[in-house]
Amino acid sequence: MALLGVTVTSTLPLLCRFAAVRHLSLVAAAGMAGVTATGVAGVPSTFSSVTSQIGGFLSKKPYAPPSWATHLSPMPSHTFSLGQFPTPIHKWNLPNLPEGTEVWIKRDDLSGMQLSGNKVRKLEFLLADAVAQGADCVITVGGIQSNHCRATAVAAKYLNLDCYLILRTSKLLVDKDPGLVGNLLVERLVGAHIDLVSKEEYGKIGSVALADLLKKRLLEEGRKPYVIPVGGSNSLGTWGYIEAIREIEQQIQQSADVQFDDIVVACGSGGTIAGLALGSRLSSLNTKVHAFSVCDDPEYFYDYAQGLIDGLDSGLDSHDIVSIKNAKGLGYAMNTAEELKFVKDIAAATGIVLDPVYSGKAVYGLLKDMAANPTKWKGRRVLFIHTGGLLGLYDKADQLSSLAGSWRRMDLEDSIPRKDGTGKMF
């Protein structure tokens, strides 16, 4: 198969190298430590006399930051345990790398089935704040196949909060049932309230004003809404990937022979790159962070990330801590045939399935940059952060159908013995 014009003849097995223990501030106490009905919004009152879960999942805990981040402000007071962390890191045998270059992958796509992806880390902090403020529902905004909106809808329901989603779609579809494909299926199954707006309306009104409008209406109904911005990307949500850097730091400490020169990630709303870049600069990693933007231009994200890190009084300049390249191609959530073939070829070569909206475009951009500038990457050890988004593939099923693996009817010759009842169907 061809990847960026080079034929792939083989692939190596995946190598799992790390196991780590999450920091004490993010794990539950030993044994039957849990939260009673008065401690977590999502626990029915009938369970008030017993623990609501075994272990730390869904528990709310006081937050203690990494030692290198204690000067940042404001500091979160609590966090919910919503994801399956730490996520594994392993070597990724991508084809056609520059001489001596290694790429490893951190599997944030494995942070949970319904909640998978990078948004879980942000929601651990954002929903803890929502509950602390006495919210009974949350509002957030995104595209029609938003991974963030799906993760928010699921996490909110875990905590017994209603979820209101403002989803952006085309003007031809805004008055029609959005269907049950991909993220929409999960959102609607968990009971999220969906309001559709056209891309044109979104562009003229903006996500902040749309969320404020819905918040006002809910307040008039006596509700207590909490607004989560697009992608969960505000200064509070940034702590999710500051914490991810601590997780990576701990994983590396348990495998002293591995150090990373670069961290690479997709950029869609800015919070993930702000947390990674800030954490990397402040921690012992001090690793160069590269982001590939999949929607707006790099300068927009430099400015947006600057606002997030300024909101934490970091005193750092975004241009100094992250390098952002444009990888949006045709536009957000739009793919060329070459990009989709790339996603298919990477899956066939390595077993890693990339979503076409975020990580797919980021890896496509990374390998193109490596091919164009091999000296820049020669001999470097790169850690790619897979931010999830697998459900978004289902929205591309028609475009991917001609690329998917072949099938055939099994050839069963007449000479093969047959007897009714021989094969048991379970």
Side-chain angles (χ1 to χ4, degrees):
M1 75 191 62
L3 294 178
L4 298 177
V6 181
T7 301
V8 180
T9 57
S10 65
T11 182
L12 297 176
L14 300 176
L15 305 176
C16 290
R17 294 290 300 274
F18 291 130
V21 178
R22 204 172 190 195
H23 189 272
L24 290 176
S25 66
L26 292 179
V27 295
M32 292 288 290
V35 178
T36 62
T38 57
V40 174
V43 180
S45 59
T46 53
F47 289 94
S48 60
S49 62
V50 297
T51 54
S52 59
Q53 77 284 326
I54 297 175
F57 186 59
L58 297 186
S59 62
K60 182 181 178 183
K61 302 171 291 292
Y63 178 68
S67 59
W68 39 261
T70 54
H71 65 289
L72 299 178
S73 178
M75 186 78 64
S77 61
H78 289 79
T79 180
F80 270 113
S81 178
L82 299 175
Q84 303 301 314
F85 300 123
T87 56
I89 296 174
H90 61 81
K91 196 172 182 180
W92 191 15
N93 296 294
L94 288 173
N96 311 316
L97 299 177
E99 181 183 352
T101 302
E102 291 181 7
V103 176
W104 294 60
I105 184 169
K106 182 162 178 64
R107 303 294 302 277
D108 272 13
D109 58 316
L110 302 181
S111 58
M113 178 57 186
Q114 296 170 196
L115 281 170
S116 66
N118 59 325
K119 305 307 181 184
V120 188
R121 295 187 186 272
K122 303 176 187 181
L123 289 169
E124 291 195 325
F125 291 92
L126 293 165
L127 289 178
D129 189 48
V131 170
Q133 293 191 28
D136 63 9
C137 59
V138 296
I139 300 168
T140 197
V141 187
I144 193 67
Q145 281 294 332
S146 168
N147 300 303
H148 161 69
C149 287
R150 178 255 307 151
T152 302
V154 172
K157 189 58 65 173
Y158 281 167
L159 304 178
N160 202 28
L161 301 171
D162 283 338
C163 183
Y164 291 82
L165 304 177
I166 302 173
L167 301 182
R168 180 183 67 248
T169 188
S170 74
K171 62 182 178 182
L172 297 177
L173 299 175
V174 72
D175 294 310
K176 299 179 180 179
D177 188 317
L180 297 171
V181 174
N183 288 299
L184 281 164
L185 175 59
V186 176
E187 291 161 0
R188 298 180 76 174
L189 283 175
V190 299
H193 305 271
I194 295 175
D195 284 296
L196 299 179
V197 297
S198 70
K199 294 178 181 178
E200 291 76 13
E201 291 167 332
Y202 183 93
K204 293 178 180 179
I205 300 172
S207 64
V208 174
L210 287 168
D212 286 345
L213 176 62
L214 182 52
K215 178 181 178 180
K216 180 181 178 182
R217 292 174 180 173
L218 290 171
L219 286 170
E220 290 171 351
E221 295 173 7
R223 304 301 302 272
K224 299 176 182 178
Y226 180 92
V227 175
I228 296 174
V230 173
S233 292
N234 58 13
S235 292
L236 178 58
T238 298
W239 281 96
Y241 270 87
I242 294 174
E243 188 59 41
I245 288 293
R246 168 158 61 182
E247 182 176 297
I248 295 168
E249 195 177 39
Q250 291 175 340
Q251 288 175 295
I252 288 174
Q253 288 169 358
Q254 295 193 13
S255 184
D257 61 327
V258 175
Q259 296 292 330
F260 295 109
D261 302 300
D262 306 273
I263 292 175
V264 179
V265 70
C267 175
S269 60
T272 297
I273 66 165
L276 286 172
L278 182 56
S280 180
R281 174 57 61 91
L282 297 177
S283 72
S284 62
L285 291 187
N286 198 23
T287 301
K288 187 173 181 61
V289 176
H290 307 260
F292 286 86
S293 62
V294 301
C295 43
D296 293 286
D297 294 327
E299 278 307 315
Y300 168 84
F301 282 114
Y302 279 121
D303 291 342
Y304 194 86
Q306 188 64 54
L308 298 184
I309 62 178
D310 284 348
L312 296 174
D313 289 337
S314 70
L316 295 172
D317 189 315
S318 62
H319 288 81
D320 295 334
I321 61 176
V322 61
S323 172
I324 307 175
K325 287 186 174 294
N326 194 332
K328 67 180 179 180
L330 296 176
Y332 177 72
M334 300 170 66
N335 295 99
T336 64
E338 184 179 359
E339 288 170 345
L340 291 176
K341 185 176 185 302
F342 175 82
V343 168
K344 181 264 181 186
D345 288 346
I346 290 295
T350 72
I352 302 295
V353 179
L354 301 169
D355 80 290
V357 178
Y358 295 97
S359 290
K361 285 191 174 183
V363 179
Y364 181 77
L366 172 64
L367 292 192
K368 283 186 69 175
D369 193 53
M370 286 182 170
N373 305 287
T375 304
K376 168 185 170 183
W377 297 95
K378 181 179 179 181
R380 299 185 73 82
R381 183 174 282 149
V382 179
L383 177 63
F384 180 79
I385 311 293
H386 191 329
T387 52
L390 182 62
L391 287 173
L393 272 172
Y394 292 93
D395 192 48
K396 305 285 185 180
D398 289 343
Q399 294 170 265
L400 289 165
S401 61
S402 63
L403 302 173
S406 61
W407 66 276
R408 65 183 181 186
R409 190 190 193 286
M410 189 172 182
D411 185 12
L412 299 174
E413 299 175 356
D414 291 341
S415 60
I416 296 174
R418 290 167 168 79
K419 181 180 179 181
D420 289 344
T422 299
K424 299 293 184 182
M425 291 179 285
F426 298 98

